[in-house]
Amino acid sequence: MTHPDNRLGRATVPAPRSSSPQPPAAEYPLGARARGGAYILLTVLGQALWSAGGLVLALAGVAAVCVGGRVLTGTRPGAALPAAGWFAVQLIALSPRPEGDFLLVSNAESYIFLLGGMILGVAAATMRTLPRLLQSGPRR
């Protein structure tokens, strides 16, 4: 089999065909530049110390920022970056200061806040798909 443009008369081999269906192209609600800006904003939002309103409210805030970042950007880094920013500030807040003071005391509530926020951030970042309530598009 020769191609009409092949003047040397060499045989051409057709490209291999895959019988498996191709995955659908990812649809992101934001463009690339807006998504980059959202990542920066979400990292800064994740750095806020949410513990002033109580442990449950603080953990709900961490989860809301992480899941909101995932919904806003449509990507896993949208949830991971706020969790990373939050975790970095928590490590700084739990470390002793040169004056001997602590920003957050080392008690059970602080450690539950630290571990609970880590678990919620990792869960939001590693979800395969968003819950149906949070997905955009037509509902079935």
Side-chain angles (χ1 to χ4, degrees):
M1 168 168 159
T2 61
H3 193 271
D5 291 336
N6 189 351
R7 294 185 184 156
L8 298 176
R10 295 182 183 158
T12 58
V13 178
R17 295 184 184 174
S18 174
S19 61
S20 61
Q22 297 294 325
E27 295 181 26
Y28 300 121
L30 297 175
R33 285 188 177 166
R35 202 168 46 244
Y39 289 155
I40 293 169
L41 176 66
L42 289 164
T43 301
V44 171
L45 282 175
Q47 293 177 2
L49 292 174
W50 295 94
S51 63
L55 182 60
V56 173
L57 183 60
L59 289 175
V62 171
V65 170
C66 292
V67 172
R70 176 79 185 261
V71 170
L72 178 68
T73 62
T75 62
R76 289 182 177 173
L81 289 173
W86 172 84
F87 183 68
V89 169
Q90 294 308 307
L91 288 180
I92 293 168
L94 284 170
S95 63
R97 304 200 20 99
E99 301 87 24
D101 296 336
F102 290 90
L103 190 56
L104 292 175
V105 296
S106 297
N107 62 11
E109 181 179 330
S110 294
Y111 287 113
I112 291 171
F113 182 55
L114 179 66
L115 293 174
M118 285 183 348
I119 291 168
L120 291 171
V122 167
T126 58
M127 287 187 296
R128 272 191 185 269
T129 60
L130 290 171
R132 205 154 101 168
L133 177 67
L134 299 174
Q135 291 177 356
S136 60
R139 306 262 189 259
R140 291 184 197 177

